[in-house]
Amino acid sequence: MKVLDTDFAKSFIRMCNDGWTFGWHESNGGNASYRLTTVEVSQVKAGFRAKPWVGIDTDIPTLAGECFLITASGSHFRNITHDPKSTLGIIEIDRTGTAWREVWGFKDGTHPTSELTAHLINHEVRKAATRGKSRVIYHCHPVNLAAMSCVMPHDSAVFTRTLWAQLAECAMVLRYGVQVIGWEVPGSIDLAIETAKAMETSNAVVWPHHGLFVSGDTMDEAFGVAHTVEKAAEIWCKARACGMPNTSCIEDEDLSRFSREYDLGLSRRQMFAKPVLGTPAPERVKLEVANAVPKKPPVQEKQEKVPDEVLANMPSVFHFPAEPAKAAPAPSPTQPEEPVYRFGIKKTS
Ligand code: 2HA
Ligand code: ZN
């Protein structure tokens, strides 16, 4: 079977294209990978053409022998549907988990993403954390999350609690919350390692001023996690930007009831962290009043005096002819005279 005819490749390409249409992949931003099942490998391996082995920065023994569909370095997500053979490829890990090689795709001399080490280490961590179920890693650059990372403390519990507070089902999709790590150089081993530490407890890691790194058992799950984080971040940004005080959110008690009723097992540390809402409006109003520049009363325009000679030449003021006075109707002898009321009170005089 050809790689591009398989369900896993079609689903992977659709996920990448969805990210592009959502605006999360400017230029060559973002990357993604999928760990093939043994059945999928056997379906496509007849078409593999192996290239030389390349050493990995760190050992990944539990991924020995696995194959990954992965985006190419420098590839633009907007081109993936049109040119999958250059923008994607499959790599195989050797039997010791210390080297990889290209076996399919990477046409026109492309190679795996610059975040390859982060993908491999984190596949290993998530595979262990989910007893082998996790197969997808997806990294994107969503705008509202990046904006949020400019103004929020980089504290995982506060960040999580704030996201949970925006959207009813956020806590269900993101039941392990998000982990926020410090800023690291893109493509660096430090970024890969810091992310891997965070991924031991969560499937969503915020890279401040950069993007989001998520994992899932399926493409739907990984993309859904990214979409939910970004949607909650967008609500937060919009609620703060609309100029009204942010006075309401999902409260601690609401969250713990949600967690109990759906058996979500939300962590108490995250559930009771204080969400970040907006600056209360009264303070801002006071500030505006204190800094306000007093308005000057409008300047009255001077009336020019019309010279007498002009007045003398003006046509005389027109008077309507006086209407002949009408005689008041005589009160009917059968109807008594209507009393006169003023402001609802009978006039006495
Ligand atoms: O440009 O997103 O993190 C690819 C990336 C690196
Ligand atoms: Zn990135």
Side-chain angles (χ1 to χ4, degrees):
M1 195 173 192
K2 288 188 174 157
V3 170
L4 295 178
D5 292 336
T6 59
D7 286 346
F8 74 83
K10 286 181 190 163
S11 181
F12 189 83
I13 291 169
R14 188 156 69 87
M15 176 181 77
C16 294
N17 195 57
D18 285 348
W20 155 247
T21 56
F22 278 43
W24 301 344
H25 298 282
E26 77 293 340
S27 184
N28 60 328
N31 30 71
S33 60
Y34 169 72
R35 184 166 61 87
L36 278 68
T37 64
T38 45
V39 173
E40 289 161 344
V41 173
S42 65
Q43 284 172 343
V44 295
K45 74 173 177 209
F48 284 179
R49 302 286 174 267
K51 301 262 178 71
W53 290 107
V54 180
I56 306 174
D57 289 341
T58 170
D59 297 353
I60 43 166
T62 64
L63 298 181
E66 302 258 24
C67 287
F68 294 87
L69 177 62
I70 190 161
T71 50
S73 171
S75 65
H76 291 220
F77 270 47
R78 69 186 287 264
N79 293 333
I80 291 178
T81 44
H82 309 288
D83 188 9
K85 286 186 183 168
S86 307
T87 51
L88 306 176
I90 295 178
I91 60 167
E92 179 188 9
I93 310 298
D94 76 347
R95 284 166 177 274
T96 59
T98 58
W100 59 270
R101 65 180 176 182
E102 294 167 11
V103 294
W104 178 88
F106 302 117
K107 205 169 133 259
D108 304 325
T110 60
H111 299 293
T113 168
S114 55
E115 304 285 7
L116 175 63
T117 312
H119 279 253
L120 293 179
I121 300 180
N122 283 287
H123 268 294
E124 186 167 58
V125 169
R126 293 310 296 165
K127 186 180 174 186
T130 61
R131 297 203 190 100
K133 284 198 199 147
S134 179
R135 293 193 172 274
V136 184
I137 285 192
Y138 174 59
H139 164 56
C140 53
H141 296 174
V143 65
N144 293 288
L145 184 70
M148 210 170 155
S149 77
C150 297
V151 286
M152 279 276 293
H154 295 173
D155 176 291
S156 301
V158 174
F159 219 104
T160 298
R161 183 64 182 85
T162 305
L163 292 173
W164 283 351
Q166 309 306 315
L167 184 63
E169 288 174 31
C170 185
M172 184 176 261
V173 179
L174 280 180
R175 56 200 291 179
Y176 305 108
V178 295
Q179 288 290 318
V180 187
I181 63 169
W183 192 86
E184 300 288 352
V185 174
S188 66
I189 182 79
D190 290 341
L191 178 57
I193 290 170
E194 288 308 309
T195 307
K197 285 187 208 156
M199 281 225 145
E200 282 177 348
T201 53
S202 170
N203 59 346
V205 181
V206 177
W207 292 355
H209 316 299
H210 183 160
L212 182 63
F213 195 89
V214 300
S215 70
D217 298 358
T218 61
M219 302 332 151
D220 278 348
E221 191 191 355
F223 194 83
V225 167
H227 194 184
T228 306
V229 170
E230 172 59 0
K231 189 164 192 182
E234 184 178 359
I235 294 169
W236 188 81
C237 287
K238 284 190 170 158
R240 283 177 64 96
C242 76
M244 299 289 287
N246 288 190
T247 51
S248 167
C249 71
I250 297 169
E251 302 294 345
D252 298 352
E253 179 44 37
D254 304 330
L255 266 185
S256 56
R257 205 148 44 90
F258 188 36
S259 180
R260 264 197 318 276
E261 287 181 21
Y262 284 90
D263 197 19
L264 300 178
L266 300 182
S267 112
R268 293 179 64 78
R269 208 169 122 343
Q270 291 170 333
M271 206 156 43
F272 297 115
K274 200 172 168 333
V276 176
L277 296 178
T279 314
E283 283 176 24
R284 198 163 56 212
V285 171
K286 267 190 233 146
L287 198 71
E288 276 163 14
V289 171
N291 293 341
V293 180
K295 272 192 184 165
K296 285 185 190 155
V299 181
Q300 199 80 37
E301 269 184 30
K302 265 194 192 161
Q303 287 276 314
E304 291 249 328
K305 193 174 177 300
V306 183
D308 289 345
E309 60 272 25
V310 175
L311 277 179
N313 288 327
M314 280 172 85
S316 53
V317 179
F318 184 83
H319 291 288
F320 285 99
E323 284 203 20
K326 278 189 196 153
S332 137
T334 50
Q335 279 182 340
E337 200 181 334
E338 280 282 302
V340 180
Y341 286 88
R342 186 173 164 74
F343 306 125
I345 300 166
K346 192 172 172 192
K347 214 176 166 191
T348 48
S349 61

